Amino acid sequence: MPVLELRGITKSFPGVKANQDISLTLEKGEIHALLGENGAGKTTLMNILYGLYRPDEGEILINDQKVDIEGPNDAIARGIGMVHQHFMLVPVMTVTENVMLGNETTKSGVFLDREKVSQRIREISNQYGLEVDPEAYIKDLPVGIQQRVEIIKVLYRQADILILDEPTAVLTPQEVDGLFKIIHSLIDAGKSLIFITHKLKEVLHIADRITVLRLGKVVGSAIPGEVDEQKLAEMMVGREVNLVVNKKIAEPGAAVLEVKDLYVPDERGNPSVNGLNLDVRAGEVVGVAGVQGNGQTELVYALTGLLPIKSGSIHLSGRDIHKCTPRQIIEQGVAHVPEDRQKHGLVLSFPLLDNMVLCTYYKPPFAKGVNMQEKPIAENGTGLVKQFDVRTPSIFVAASTLSGGNQQKVIVAREFSRPIKLLIASQPTRGLDVGSIEYIHGRIIEKRDEGTAVLVVSSELDEIIALSDRIAVMYRGRIVDILPAGATKEHLGLLMAGVKPEDIPDSAKQKSAGPVEKVF
Amino acid sequence: MTDKTVKTTPSEKKDNKFDLRQIFEGSYNTLLPLLAIFTGLVIGAIVIAGTDATVIEAWKNFFQAPGAAFAAAWTSIATAYGALFGGSLGNPKEILAGIQAYFSTGDSAALLKSIYPISESLVTATPYIFAGLAVAVGFRCGLFNIGAEGQFFMGALGSVFVGYSLKGLPAIIHLPLALLGGIAAGALWGAIPGYLKAKFGAHEVVNTIMMNWIGFRLSDWLLNGPMKAPGYRPVTSAVSEAAELPRFFPDPLRLNWGFILALLVAWLIYWLLFKTTIGFEIRTVGANPDAAKYAGVNIVRNFVLAMVISGGLAGLSGASQVLGVDHWVGQGFSAGYGFDAIAIALLGKSHPLGVVLAALLFGVLRGGATRMQSMAGIPVDIISIIQGLVIIFVAAPGIIRWLYRIHPAKNKQALQSRG
Amino acid sequence: MMKTKKNPEMDMRTRIIWGAVLIAVGLLVLFLFAFSTEAGQMTKFGLNLSKGDAFVVPDLLLPTQPTNYLLALILVGVGAFQMARGVKSTGTLVAVLAFSFVMAFLVWAARDKSFSLVGMLSSSVVRATPIALAALCGVISERAGVTNIGIEGTMLFAAQVSVIVGTISGNLWVALLAAILTGGLVASLHAFLVIKFKVDQIISGTAVNILGAGVTSFVSSRFLEKNIDALNNSGTLPSISIPLLSKIPVIGPVLFENTPIVYLTIILVAVLHIVLFYTPWGLRTRAVGEHPKAADTLGVNVYLMRYVNVIFGGMFAGLGGAYFTIGSVGRFDEVMTAGKGFIGLAAMIFGKWTPIGAYTSSLIFGFADSLQVKLQILKVGIPPEFLLMAPYIVTMIVLTGVVGKAVAPAADGAPYEK
């Protein structure tokens, strides 16, 4: 008897059928992986199960009972718990407060009983090996620990069915191993688990059963022993996928970017980049690997002039640019694909053609004096849309109407079409579908081959490994080591977790067999 | 927070592709403000009738004489709105008669008399155009300039000072100087909150309100002290004739060059916002300050610039009222222009053309309200009530849609929350 | 993640600037006040409100010039110390700066005169009350993630309704209740617009303000002006002395001889503090204002929390509105709130979105307000119009965040979409 069964779930959003007639079951004590690329409808399905969305059609059965889940409260009451991809934690509150929120224990019926909840958290911690300080503030905790808090939240509510949405996206390989241990202890305690991911290796490693989603539909299911990565990838993407990134050996030239002893405080004044040294040469891709929150964002902001530095130097082709404004840096040939495309990369309410000239609108041919020149701007837009394969009905529609992949292509088109010396790409494919990822990766390598110096920052280790000629590992605001392409994941993972380069065992440096995996 | 207030992207209109839905969208977008105004007027009518003693009396006997109750309500509303629109647009018959008289006898007296209400409405609309543009420019930069009121007053004081203190200059020099005095004073009043916002992130809404109050106190002092004209009343001297905006017709018609200037400035602001790099920067900062910073736009400069332009326009608004209409300044001179301007900018969707149209509407409403007060005894404050309602309806199209059962074209957001 | 470390370079600069400011103000006191008084002049600060008190404390008699010398010395001394070594909290510096300067100014202004210090402190508490209520309205709404800039309009509505109800019913307690309910009703309009229709919160608040001014002025000129005795003459709530407590010297007359609205405000501050930080309701409120999605996924009804908090906030503002009419003058005048709602928002920001902080900063505004009145009486030679600007200028300085910058709730002002 399955503990959970979904039958014919269908859900539409304006313009998109997110889920079409999806059915799946979850057995007790099972780890059921839901595999699909970004945009396949995995999260929508789970949000329906958790009561955040209502399905247009279909039904949900728990322990063979048909249930109507009208909101998270219903889901929680029926023993369903969800660990969201973007953590649902209030940063300015303590672990205890976050855990008890919505399900508070009180003294004399009125006042919060923090002690009791802390005690319960400690018990859960001990039982499942989820070490965490109940009095700590969320904002002070690293992401790995925050994830534990999320799991504790679910266990505190005595959930039997756990949904983990892309839980490994923000973890180091070693943290992933730790998470898998926790998952096994949960299964041992009689819980059942739905594991959402787009990573093939993980699925094969942890799942008992795999269901593959594509474009909102179930396209097949599999048992790990019976399929390989290639087969899963094809099911997921719907065509044959080349798992290896094709690129020539880099031929680096002179150093374009030289960073020495850089110190950068973040927006709240806390030190984020602490004595960082790095150089990027023409015609090579340097990848910055690291767990999110180790100063990568601030490094990129400092390089592009968005954040003032405290000390150190940044040289671009020999010229010190640390005092330059963002515009001066852009004008010296730096392109920036920002981490958050909707926040920094685009003006969503502006039409595409305006977004295409966001950094160059004031220069000829787009402007003469203060007069904007409509014709060149429109021609530029039309040209770039064609050249970079942006799928849009017109260059006059607002950027907000495009899909994530096409929005990213707009940014790439704008940044790559200028004459540039240095390309800084931060999380260039976050949340994109495979087609867009392949496309953007191809373009980045193309730029490298043209002789541009490229700095890629990504929290997806697979992406770093696939693109980089050299890999710089960032930990607590410093580059702790620089490894050549072909470094092992284990090696990188240990460095990302703060293990000193000299303490890395040789076994972790051994090159694993098989080609470098492509990222989804 | 206010970056959400600017919704329209004018360039969207340039879409060449023929799409029926877009045409519907377009008409829907113009329909909405009209319905908002209509609904505001209807509720205003209910307030007028509902607070009328005779109507209340009649309704007490509703079950005995329902007809009389409705008739009383209708009379009350018709008298009020009749006075309102009669007072602002004039009587078409009289206007026709005036035209006939002018062409048959060459006597313009009747014609001038008949168009007096229209002239007054345009006179009232003139400062509204400037002030509405002031708020609109702020909106476009993501700033909520709620202090147009104070900037208006300071502008009036600045221009009246230049107007009366300089003597013997020819109009060609004196008038522009007086206008500039108004612009400068208003711009200064706007620049301070703009700078504080840009530099310290201080909330411009609260600060512009504070600047209003500081401005009122300052004007109290000026009007009772340094700028007081000889005599008992706390008013300034009148500006010299060379500083006046010339009028088109003999007294009592007060329509003057200020109106033409307002239209020109509206066109200038349109050009600035949508055809120049300056406007592109302002709009980028307004729509997404993070992206603007990323693109190398100087946020601090644009915040200050937008508030200087905004304050300058509000100051010009005050100057136009002084130099074109009153010729001197007394206490309580600003009388709500700043708040009317917010409604106008919202109603006009922060687009100069929309602002001009909305200002004309408010010119008509305000122009007629005084007559309504004297004829029908309805306090002019009814216009503020209608205004507040119009703002709500324009900002919450959902209410209008629900009231009139309009379903907007779907498919606005092609893509959201997948994956 | 990483531990916060002081940034020595930045500290150095701000340290020197603060020191310089203190020294400069010290010199200002010296040249402006100390040098312009004569050796024998005395300043008398009255410490009793009425003559009939059980305990009469002797009035404070200060020699004007030496006091000013002393205060100038303190300022320069602390400034020098700050430059050389650095004082840890800017709060202390601001306190020293403000206290010394204001004292020096008062001692100077009231030279050869008697000045009722207790009277001024007592009027500070009274004048702080509407500001504090507006600030509390802001605190509770913004903690739940809704900016309410329409407090001013809400207070106007409540002020007018309470005076009308009070005059007609003859019962001021009913009038007080009517004011509170009116506040809640107006706030529910704001809540409805911003939560249900996702109207920009600033625009909705502005509409409430315009409606508040419009409707109350309309009603004033259509009804109240013609029927003052029948509609606009309610009398005022009585001042209640709290037994025993009101007999304490200085503090007694300042805090414990007030109208019920003042007491209610102080009680509200305490209750709100406990509710916000020690009860499930408060935890949920803060969560909804910081990260509504997180609260939603745990089954907290975000919309309900926001509705209720905004409406409660409106009730506080309604109480604040009642202060203007039945709490002080007993009649309604057009636009009588004079920006107090907005000053309340500044007090909320200065008080870092906490009830106690908001009340403390309201007291500062109240002090600035009553200082201005006293100085007019003392005829210090500054035009009263400039003194009247004081609360507004203080507000603007506060908002620059030069003195203690705080962070607003993260989701403040943003509509929540599921």
Side-chain angles (χ1 to χ4, degrees):
Chain A
M1 180 183 91
V3 288
L4 173 74
E5 187 175 355
L6 301 179
R7 283 186 193 155
I9 301 289
T10 298
K11 173 77 185 171
S12 301
F13 293 110
V16 157
K17 274 212 159 177
N19 288 160
Q20 287 179 61
D21 193 24
I22 293 182
S23 299
L24 61 84
T25 58
L26 178 69
E27 302 292 336
K28 189 170 169 63
E30 184 190 32
I31 302 175
H32 189 149
L34 205 53
L35 182 70
E37 59 169 321
N38 291 312
K42 297 165 296 186
T43 302
T44 304
L45 184 65
M46 290 304 112
N47 281 340
I48 288 170
L49 179 54
Y50 195 63
L52 289 171
Y53 299 142
R54 306 299 308 276
D56 301 338
E57 283 167 45
E59 52 193 37
I60 301 168
L61 287 85
I62 292 175
N63 295 325
D64 272 349
Q65 295 280 313
K66 200 175 158 238
V67 294
D68 196 14
I69 299 177
E70 291 188 353
N73 270 336
D74 281 353
I76 293 166
R78 296 180 200 288
I80 300 172
M82 184 158 172
V83 172
H84 298 264
Q85 182 179 2
H86 303 289
F87 297 153
M88 294 298 166
L89 297 168
V90 184
V92 297
M93 291 186 181
T94 63
V95 171
T96 304
E97 288 177 326
N98 269 285
V99 170
M100 76 200 297
L101 176 62
N103 194 5
E104 298 87 354
T105 310
T106 51
K107 282 184 281 203
S108 53
V110 180
F111 301 107
L112 294 171
D113 192 345
R114 292 188 165 92
E115 290 75 29
K116 208 168 183 178
V117 178
S118 299
Q119 191 51 43
R120 180 85 190 100
I121 292 172
R122 285 198 192 89
E123 285 165 25
I124 296 172
S125 297
N126 293 336
Q127 192 183 344
Y128 296 96
L130 291 156
E131 207 175 301
V132 61
D133 172 13
E135 268 80 51
Y137 281 89
I138 297 296
K139 61 178 161 45
D140 300 328
L141 297 176
V143 281
I145 308 288
Q146 291 188 9
Q147 187 174 58
R148 286 185 199 166
V149 178
E150 281 283 24
I151 296 173
I152 289 173
K153 263 166 68 177
V154 170
L155 295 173
Y156 180 81
R157 288 164 174 74
Q158 295 170 329
D160 292 319
I161 301 166
L162 277 75
I163 307 163
L164 304 182
D165 190 359
E166 300 277 3
T168 59
V170 294
L171 305 180
T172 66
Q174 284 75 19
E175 283 178 319
V176 170
D177 289 343
L179 174 69
F180 286 177
K181 267 195 207 114
I182 293 166
I183 287 177
H184 284 302
S185 71
L186 292 170
I187 296 297
D188 292 343
K191 316 273 183 200
S192 317
L193 230 111
I194 296 178
F195 188 97
I196 302 174
T197 188
H198 64 263
K199 293 182 180 172
L200 306 171
K201 275 214 176 86
E202 280 172 7
V203 168
L204 291 171
H205 185 76
I206 188 118
D208 298 319
R209 211 143 54 94
I210 303 165
T211 296
V212 185
L213 289 189
R214 189 172 74 230
L215 297 172
K217 288 185 197 142
V218 175
V219 289
S221 53
I223 308 284
E226 298 167 5
V227 286
D228 60 2
E229 288 182 35
Q230 185 70 42
K231 179 81 181 87
L232 280 179
E234 281 175 34
M235 281 167 81
M236 196 164 111
V237 182
R239 60 179 158 87
E240 204 170 310
V241 179
N242 182 8
L243 285 172
V244 187
V245 175
N246 295 312
K247 58 176 189 188
K248 297 180 292 186
I249 304 288
E251 293 162 16
V256 173
L257 176 73
E258 292 164 285
V259 182
K260 284 206 179 63
D261 261 336
L262 187 69
Y263 284 81
V264 186
D266 69 10
E267 272 154 357
R268 285 181 294 174
N270 300 325
S272 292
V273 176
N274 293 309
L276 180 138
N277 291 289
L278 183 68
D279 59 294
V280 184
R281 293 167 294 175
E284 71 166 348
V285 176
V286 173
V288 175
V291 175
Q292 160 190 326
N294 273 285
Q296 298 98 317
T297 307
E298 288 75 15
L299 169 66
V300 170
Y301 285 1
L303 295 179
T304 50
L306 293 172
L307 212 64
I309 72 168
K310 201 177 89 184
S311 63
S313 70
I314 304 169
H315 282 87
L316 184 71
S317 301
R319 281 183 62 189
D320 194 352
I321 58 163
H322 85 266
K323 276 193 177 143
C324 292
T325 61
R327 169 147 305 166
Q328 289 165 333
I329 292 172
I330 291 168
E331 287 181 342
Q332 288 180 50
V334 176
H336 176 197
V337 177
E339 174 181 317
D340 187 338
R341 61 178 157 265
Q342 302 208 334
K343 185 180 174 195
H344 283 110
L346 295 167
V347 181
L348 288 175
S349 58
F350 277 16
L352 289 195
L353 78 170
D354 283 347
N355 272 297
M356 293 284 199
V357 295
L358 199 59
C359 300
T360 46
Y361 62 89
Y362 59 96
K363 280 183 165 168
F366 305 129
K368 280 184 190 157
V370 296
N371 282 289
M372 306 269 291
Q373 303 297 308
E374 284 178 22
K375 214 172 152 218
I377 291 173
E379 284 168 0
N380 173 67
T382 316
L384 289 180
V385 161
K386 210 171 280 168
Q387 198 188 332
F388 285 80
D389 190 32
V390 181
R391 309 277 164 84
T392 170
S394 135
I395 54 167
F396 299 105
V397 300
S400 58
T401 61
L402 265 55
S403 71
N406 282 306
Q407 288 182 346
Q408 191 73 348
K409 281 183 187 171
V410 171
I411 297 172
V412 167
R414 177 184 72 216
E415 296 301 302
F416 286 34
S417 60
R418 285 187 276 130
I420 52 170
K421 282 190 277 199
L422 172 67
L423 166 64
I424 299 172
S426 194
Q427 319 291 358
T429 60
R430 180 178 276 176
L432 302 189
D433 58 289
V434 173
S436 304
I437 295 176
E438 279 180 331
Y439 183 83
I440 286 167
H441 282 176
R443 285 284 181 165
I444 289 175
I445 296 300
E446 199 179 291
K447 270 285 156 195
R448 178 200 76 161
D449 292 344
E450 285 169 15
T452 307
V454 181
L455 184 71
V456 173
V457 178
S458 175
S459 53
E460 291 269 8
L461 201 45
D462 294 317
E463 174 164 58
I464 294 284
I465 293 174
L467 285 175
S468 308
D469 300 309
R470 289 192 296 145
I471 302 169
V473 182
M474 195 161 176
Y475 178 73
R476 297 213 171 158
R478 280 198 184 85
I479 300 296
V480 288
D481 204 355
I482 296 182
L483 305 180
T488 65
K489 264 193 165 184
E490 291 70 25
H491 191 177
L492 291 168
L494 289 171
L495 290 170
M496 282 159 67
V499 178
K500 291 198 180 103
E502 57 270 23
D503 295 341
I504 305 267
D506 281 341
S507 60
K509 297 180 187 168
Q510 302 289 313
K511 190 148 175 52
S512 51
V516 178
E517 191 190 325
K518 204 156 188 177
V519 204
F520 298 110
Chain B
M1 38 151 225
T2 45
D3 52 344
K4 289 161 243 140
T5 55
V6 185
K7 288 268 161 60
T8 44
T9 333
S11 333
E12 269 175 57
K13 280 187 239 142
K14 285 186 276 185
D15 198 340
N16 303 322
K17 240 183 103 191
F18 182 77
D19 185 345
L20 203 67
R21 197 178 297 124
Q22 272 175 340
I23 289 176
F24 179 71
E25 281 279 296
S27 64
Y28 173 71
N29 279 343
T30 45
L31 190 65
L32 183 72
L34 292 177
L35 285 175
I37 295 158
F38 175 72
T39 316
L41 286 172
V42 168
I43 298 181
I46 295 170
V47 171
I48 289 169
T51 56
D52 188 327
T54 41
V55 178
I56 295 168
E57 277 307 312
W59 278 74
K60 278 181 183 161
N61 303 319
F62 179 75
F63 291 106
Q64 287 83 26
F70 279 111
W74 174 249
T75 314
S76 169
I77 296 166
T79 316
Y81 279 172
L84 178 73
F85 289 106
S88 55
L89 298 174
N91 184 336
K93 274 184 207 152
E94 282 177 26
I95 296 173
L96 275 178
I99 294 171
Q100 275 172 352
Y102 178 67
F103 281 110
S104 55
T105 64
D107 179 14
S108 63
L111 178 60
L112 288 177
K113 187 167 178 291
S114 69
I115 62 166
Y116 176 76
I118 296 182
S119 157
E120 277 305 285
S121 296
L122 295 181
V123 165
T124 318
T126 302
Y128 281 145
I129 296 176
F130 290 118
L133 289 170
V135 178
V137 168
F139 275 151
R140 287 283 173 186
C141 195
L143 295 167
F144 201 49
N145 180 11
I146 207 167
E149 184 89 9
Q151 295 145 15
F152 175 94
F153 209 149
M154 298 320 288
L157 288 170
S159 64
V160 82
F161 178 75
V162 177
Y164 73 69
S165 60
L166 299 177
K167 300 259 188 283
L169 289 174
I172 192 95
I173 296 169
H174 201 171
L175 176 58
L177 273 184
L179 288 169
L180 277 178
I183 294 172
L188 173 73
W189 230 241
I192 294 169
Y195 177 79
L196 293 175
K197 163 87 175 181
K199 207 69 194 167
F200 303 102
H203 208 308
E204 82 277 8
V205 172
V206 181
N207 270 345
T208 47
I209 288 277
M210 294 299 115
M211 290 300 287
N212 279 355
W213 288 101
I214 294 171
F216 299 153
R217 301 295 179 233
L218 184 67
S219 65
D220 283 348
W221 177 68
L222 288 172
L223 293 174
N224 284 298
M227 287 176 73
K228 186 168 177 284
Y232 300 110
R233 293 197 307 151
V235 298
T236 67
S237 311
V239 298
S240 60
E241 212 164 303
E244 288 176 10
L245 281 161
R247 292 182 178 173
F248 295 123
F249 306 107
D251 271 350
L253 272 69
R254 303 190 290 179
L255 189 63
N256 58 70
W257 276 95
F259 183 69
I260 304 297
L261 184 67
L263 296 180
L264 285 174
V265 168
W267 179 82
L268 185 76
I269 294 296
Y270 168 76
W271 173 79
L272 183 85
L273 279 177
F274 299 113
K275 302 290 172 192
T276 70
T277 55
I278 302 165
F280 188 84
E281 288 193 7
I282 287 178
R283 288 186 294 120
T284 307
V285 171
N288 184 347
D290 290 310
K293 195 176 169 200
Y294 157 90
V297 176
N298 186 331
I299 309 273
V300 172
R301 196 184 65 198
N302 275 285
F303 272 161
V304 177
L305 178 69
M307 280 304 287
V308 164
I309 296 175
S310 184
L313 285 167
L316 187 55
S317 179
S320 77
Q321 181 68 15
V322 170
L323 304 176
V325 183
D326 297 335
H327 300 153
W328 51 268
V329 174
Q331 273 173 323
F333 181 80
S334 52
Y337 282 98
F339 289 108
D340 289 7
I342 296 164
I344 289 163
L346 284 172
L347 199 55
K349 299 262 174 193
S350 300
H351 192 283
L353 179 63
V355 166
V356 169
L357 295 175
L360 290 173
L361 174 80
F362 273 90
V364 166
L365 290 180
R366 283 276 179 212
T370 337
R371 188 177 154 97
M372 179 170 69
Q373 180 157 27
S374 59
M375 299 261 300
I378 311 291
V380 287
D381 305 293
I382 187 73
I383 303 299
S384 296
I385 297 175
I386 293 172
Q387 211 175 82
L389 293 168
V390 168
I391 291 179
I392 289 175
F393 294 141
V394 170
I399 298 177
I400 293 293
R401 244 182 255 143
W402 173 77
L403 270 175
Y404 298 95
R405 305 287 186 274
I406 301 172
H407 300 288
K410 290 227 169 76
N411 200 21
K412 269 297 261 185
Q413 284 145 324
L415 214 130
Q416 49 163 231
S417 46
R418 285 201 310 177
Chain C
M1 274 165 265
M2 277 151 280
K3 203 98 189 99
T4 312
K5 221 170 60 188
K6 284 269 177 200
N7 183 339
E9 219 174 310
M10 294 278 281
D11 269 2
M12 191 70 172
R13 230 184 90 211
T14 39
R15 205 174 86 189
I16 290 181
I17 290 176
W18 272 109
V21 168
L22 278 158
I23 292 175
V25 174
L27 294 176
L28 200 71
V29 167
L30 194 68
F31 286 107
L32 222 57
F33 305 146
F35 289 174
S36 65
T37 47
E38 286 149 31
Q41 286 181 320
M42 298 295 271
T43 307
K44 187 172 148 194
F45 284 136
L47 295 182
N48 300 290
L49 209 51
S50 51
K51 293 273 181 273
D53 280 352
F55 307 96
V56 177
V57 259
D59 289 336
L60 198 61
L61 207 59
L62 294 171
T64 310
Q65 203 175 33
T67 310
N68 268 318
Y69 278 133
L70 181 72
L71 290 166
L73 194 71
I74 290 174
L75 280 166
V76 173
V78 175
F81 180 79
Q82 161 73 8
M83 270 189 160
R85 301 277 298 278
V87 177
K88 280 218 179 71
S89 83
T90 33
T92 322
L93 289 177
V94 176
V96 169
L97 182 74
F99 175 79
S100 307
F101 182 77
V102 171
M103 259 323 259
F105 181 62
L106 283 179
V107 169
W108 169 79
R111 61 190 185 279
D112 283 342
K113 288 175 208 156
S114 173
F115 175 85
S116 171
L117 199 60
V118 165
M120 199 177 81
L121 291 178
S122 146
S123 98
S124 300
V125 171
V126 173
R127 281 162 187 274
T129 296
I131 298 172
L133 287 165
L136 291 178
C137 169
V139 167
I140 189 170
S141 313
E142 299 208 359
R143 279 287 184 171
V146 178
T147 306
N148 188 350
I149 209 143
I151 298 173
E152 183 90 359
T154 312
M155 292 206 297
L156 273 175
F157 271 116
Q160 188 172 58
V161 168
S162 71
V163 82
I164 294 172
V165 170
T167 315
I168 293 174
S169 72
N171 186 333
L172 291 173
W173 297 101
V174 175
L176 194 64
L177 191 69
I180 293 170
L181 292 179
T182 307
L185 199 68
V186 177
S188 62
L189 169 71
H190 178 62
F192 183 64
L193 288 174
V194 304
I195 298 168
K196 169 87 181 163
F197 286 102
K198 313 252 179 321
V199 173
D200 183 290
Q201 303 188 353
I202 301 292
I203 290 176
S204 169
T206 304
V208 168
N209 283 334
I210 292 177
L211 278 179
V215 171
T216 55
S217 300
F218 180 82
V219 171
S220 255
S221 36
R222 187 138 211 207
F223 300 109
L224 302 192
E225 278 169 13
K226 294 169 208 147
N227 308 297
I228 290 172
D229 283 328
L231 293 172
N232 194 11
N233 188 8
S234 65
T236 57
L237 285 163
S239 175
I240 300 172
S241 300
I242 307 237
L244 289 178
L245 292 177
S246 61
K247 303 291 180 210
I248 304 170
V250 186
I251 297 173
V254 171
L255 284 182
F256 300 109
E257 275 186 42
N258 276 308
T259 62
I261 297 178
V262 175
Y263 297 134
L264 277 174
T265 307
I266 296 171
I267 293 168
L268 259 180
V269 170
V271 170
L272 205 54
H273 176 78
I274 291 167
V275 167
L276 263 185
F277 298 109
Y278 298 98
T279 68
W281 179 271
L283 183 70
R284 292 175 182 203
T285 298
R286 289 183 291 132
V288 161
E290 291 284 348
H291 195 332
K293 186 103 201 180
D296 193 8
T297 59
L298 293 176
V300 175
N301 188 335
V302 176
Y303 296 144
L304 180 75
M305 293 303 296
R306 289 193 167 176
Y307 269 116
V308 175
N309 277 295
V310 172
I311 292 170
F312 265 113
M315 292 179 168
F316 303 162
L319 188 59
Y323 160 88
F324 291 98
T325 49
I326 61 173
S328 53
V329 291
R331 60 159 200 287
F332 181 84
D333 298 325
E334 287 182 25
V335 204
M336 67 193 304
T337 45
K340 294 287 192 300
F342 291 97
I343 296 178
L345 285 177
M348 167 197 76
I349 295 170
F350 195 35
K352 300 187 198 305
W353 285 268
T354 63
I356 294 175
Y359 189 67
T360 317
S361 25
S362 301
L363 287 176
I364 296 172
F365 285 111
F367 184 80
D369 203 7
S370 60
L371 184 65
Q372 154 276 116
V373 177
K374 286 283 169 195
L375 291 178
Q376 288 188 49
I377 297 166
L378 286 173
K379 296 203 169 56
V380 285
I382 303 170
E385 290 89 354
F386 285 89
L387 296 173
L388 279 166
M389 290 179 197
Y392 308 120
I393 293 171
V394 172
T395 304
M396 293 183 73
I397 294 170
V398 162
L399 286 180
T400 59
V402 172
V403 192
K405 190 152 190 144
V407 187
D412 194 6
Y416 178 62
E417 312 242 15
K418 283 214 180 196

